[in-house]
Amino acid sequence: MSIKDEKFMEMALRLARRGISSVEPNPAVGAIIIKANQIIGRGWHKKFGGPHAEINALEDCQTLGVRPNGATMYVTLEPCCHHGKTGPCTEAIISAGIKKVFVAMTDPSEHAGGRGIEQLRNAGIEVQTGICEAQAKMLNAPFIKYVTTGKCWVILKWAQSIDGRVAWGDGIDNRRWISNEHSRRDAHKLRRRAQAILVGINTVIADDPLLTARPNKGKKSARIVMDSFLRIPPDCQLISTIDESPVMIFASQRSVQAKSDIAQELSNKGVELLAYPDTDRSNLHFLLAALSDRGITQLLVEGGPTILTSFLKENLADEIIVYIAPKILGSQSSIGITRPMSELSEAVGLHNVEVDCFGDDVRFRGLTEKAIDEISFDPESSFEIQTVSEPANE
């Protein structure tokens, strides 16, 4: 494998990133087709349930009027060989007469696990794997965790001022945004990426949020409230918009039994009650197990300082995303995050940190040690996909 091969795969990875927040819970995949040192086809998985990257790349060849027979394909994930929402990509690749395929990483899913690669090789196609594997793993870390462990990927996200304040203003009518519009648009992409969004009951009472992605682009993520004592206001926006996206309330069994009339009223309105047992076991572990059993691969935690700190205390976070606004709010009419987090007994280090600017805001994004272990990723590897020019024709 040459530097040119790496650059072509990096192009495929950049294409794959275009699908983030649209394809979940499926993986994001990109593909490039090369013939006579020319790119004749580009494709990526654009939408959940839609054609895969390989199919889109092959169709792109038709658009250009070039036959892909004898060409080389670069694809970021092992082509599928099973019938799902779409047909097997391996069959399409074989029928198109592709001569060689570079695969960044094998698909660890139970229905794949190298079978797609084996099928291509049995058809006489040369297949090489492992090129830009670290980048490919990073791109689809939540997918890898879920299919290999059965557990959902947990993202902690918050916005804060320079001095660590996370809420600004008193009451629903006086709340002011800490982050800017650019950061908020990016945060809505995170919501579309996740299958569930979680906050604490104090956030619901203070802000009356919708917790929907805007625009939602057809995504209907579950909205979860940590509400041990069933204090949720019956007229809040979450419940009034339950037809748009499902609502789950996570409460203690004791409260559900003691407030059976409220619990029944919520159930009648379509709310799903997740009652955790009153035991010594962490209720967060119970919650994540329940969500994973429901097929939720990514959970976005947007709660306040107490909720966020709880996930960190239990070592349950995989990814942390923080938007820092160039503001110093002080103590007046604001809530700080530093005091709750000072209760952490151990430091939390982040790996493979990305720093991006959204207007004047700065976004920090990184993975925890737990996440690195779960996806078997080398923290010393660089996963950043640099913007590179296309390789010159030879």
Side-chain angles (χ1 to χ4, degrees), residues 331-348:
S331 60
Q332 186 175 8
S333 300
S334 63
I335 298 173
I337 197 170
T338 54
R339 179 175 293 179
M341 288 196 177
S342 67
E343 299 175 3
L344 295 173
S345 58
E346 296 182 3
V348 179

Side-chain angles (χ1 to χ4, degrees), residues 51-322:
H52 290 182
E54 300 94 321
I55 304 302
N56 287 329
L58 289 170
E59 289 183 353
D60 194 38
C61 294
Q62 295 179 6
T63 301
L64 294 175
V66 181
R67 295 183 61 190
N69 60 305
T72 298
M73 175 180 285
Y74 297 79
V75 61
T76 60
L77 183 70
E78 173 188 353
C80 67
C81 61
H82 66 285
H83 287 270
K85 291 182 178 294
T86 60
C89 290
T90 50
E91 291 183 3
I93 293 170
I94 294 168
S95 297
I98 296 292
K99 181 180 179 181
K100 186 174 183 178
V101 178
F102 286 91
V103 178
M105 64 169 288
T106 56
D107 185 340
S109 304
E110 184 178 356
H111 57 254
R115 294 184 183 89
I117 293 172
E118 181 182 7
Q119 191 174 104
L120 294 178
R121 286 174 173 162
N122 289 340
I125 297 174
E126 181 184 351
V127 181
Q128 292 193 32
T129 63
I131 184 170
C132 297
E133 183 178 20
Q135 295 96 316
K137 281 189 172 184
M138 268 303 308
L139 181 70
N140 287 306
F143 169 77
I144 295 171
K145 177 182 177 180
Y146 187 78
V147 299
T148 56
T149 69
K151 298 177 182 178
C152 67
W153 182 266
V154 178
I155 308 161
L156 304 188
K157 166 259 172 183
W158 69 90
Q160 68 172 65
S161 62
I162 292 174
D163 57 339
R165 318 305 289 185
V166 295
W168 188 9
D170 292 325
I172 295 174
D173 296 332
N174 296 318
R175 281 282 195 239
R176 301 173 65 183
W177 294 108
I178 289 178
S179 58
N180 64 28
E181 184 179 351
H182 303 289
S183 293
R184 295 197 296 275
R185 278 202 299 265
D186 186 67
H188 279 286
K189 288 180 65 176
L190 290 177
R191 287 184 175 182
R192 288 193 295 273
R193 198 182 120 188
Q195 289 77 58
I197 303 161
L198 181 145
V199 296
I201 184 58
N202 290 334
T203 296
V204 175
I205 293 172
D207 299 338
D208 192 21
L210 276 171
L211 300 182
T212 53
R214 297 183 288 278
N216 64 28
K217 296 186 178 181
K219 290 295 190 75
K220 293 186 177 182
S221 301
R223 298 169 293 174
I224 304 172
V225 181
M226 298 283 290
D227 184 14
S228 294
F229 304 107
L230 288 181
R231 295 189 293 138
I232 190 166
D235 59 347
C236 70
Q237 292 194 96
L238 289 174
I239 294 178
S240 65
T241 60
I242 198 167
D243 290 339
E244 298 178 18
S245 290
V247 174
M248 300 180 186
I249 294 180
F250 193 58
S252 69
Q253 285 183 352
R254 188 175 302 164
S255 294
V256 171
Q257 293 168 358
K259 298 182 178 181
S260 58
D261 54 337
I262 295 177
Q264 186 60 54
E265 180 183 357
L266 291 170
S267 295
N268 291 341
K269 290 183 177 181
V271 175
E272 181 180 0
L273 290 174
L274 297 175
Y276 62 84
D278 302 297
T279 64
D280 293 334
R281 188 170 182 266
S282 166
N283 57 14
L284 291 182
H285 286 274
F286 181 90
L287 170 66
L288 294 181
L291 296 182
S292 299
D293 289 343
R294 286 163 170 77
I296 290 174
T297 61
Q298 296 190 58
L299 170 67
L300 176 62
V301 180
E302 292 191 359
T306 301
I307 294 290
L308 294 166
T309 303
S310 296
F311 276 88
L312 290 173
K313 280 183 177 179
E314 298 284 347
N315 191 29
L316 294 173
D318 295 295
E319 183 176 355
I320 295 176
I321 299 174
V322 185

